[in-house]
Amino acid sequence: MEEKIKIIKDLSIEEREEVFADIARVLERTAHEAYVEGNRHFAALSANMAQAIRINADELARDDVQNAERVLLQATAMISQFNAVHPYRMVSKAVH
């Protein structure tokens, strides 16, 4: 994912939209894991960012590339922060 951020300027609009869809999926998965682990604040932030990216993917892909790159960097920073705190993936995501 990080290599796609570095070459975002060279991607077509469709490819940029695909990158935004991928990052939104990862953010949603991270939000779900954070929610299951009890970190509701981080889950809400991650889910809201994923939703904002998904809604604005078309505009982000078509408009200013620097803003698109900035959004992707912020999203990957959130994912990296969660992965640093939770290096091991959960085996079961059942909420009781």
Side-chain angles (χ1 to χ4, degrees), residues 8-24:
I8 191 109
K9 296 173 186 163
D10 300 332
L11 298 177
S12 69
I13 292 172
E14 292 82 17
E15 291 170 329
R16 287 183 202 162
E17 285 184 43
E18 186 178 320
V19 169
F20 283 116
D22 289 344
I23 199 82

Side-chain angles (χ1 to χ4, degrees), residues 19-76:
V19 169
F20 283 116
D22 289 344
I23 199 82
R25 267 188 242 109
V26 173
L27 280 167
E28 288 169 345
R29 194 170 45 241
T30 302
H32 181 69
E33 287 184 25
Y35 181 80
V36 170
E37 290 183 0
N39 192 346
R40 299 193 197 299
H41 181 69
F42 187 86
L45 287 174
S46 186
N48 288 340
M49 182 178 269
Q51 184 179 13
I53 288 173
R54 205 176 280 283
I55 290 170
N56 297 306
D58 184 47
E59 291 176 23
L60 288 168
R62 294 181 189 280
D63 292 343
D64 188 17
V65 178
Q66 281 186 321
N67 288 336
E69 187 175 338
R70 192 173 302 130
V71 168
L72 289 174
L73 287 173
Q74 289 174 350
T76 55

Side-chain angles (χ1 to χ4, degrees), residues 78-95:
M78 270 189 88
I79 295 165
S80 296
Q81 179 185 7
F82 182 78
N83 289 338
V85 175
H86 306 281
Y88 304 106
R89 291 286 168 231
M90 295 172 42
V91 176
S92 172
K93 296 180 184 175
V95 177

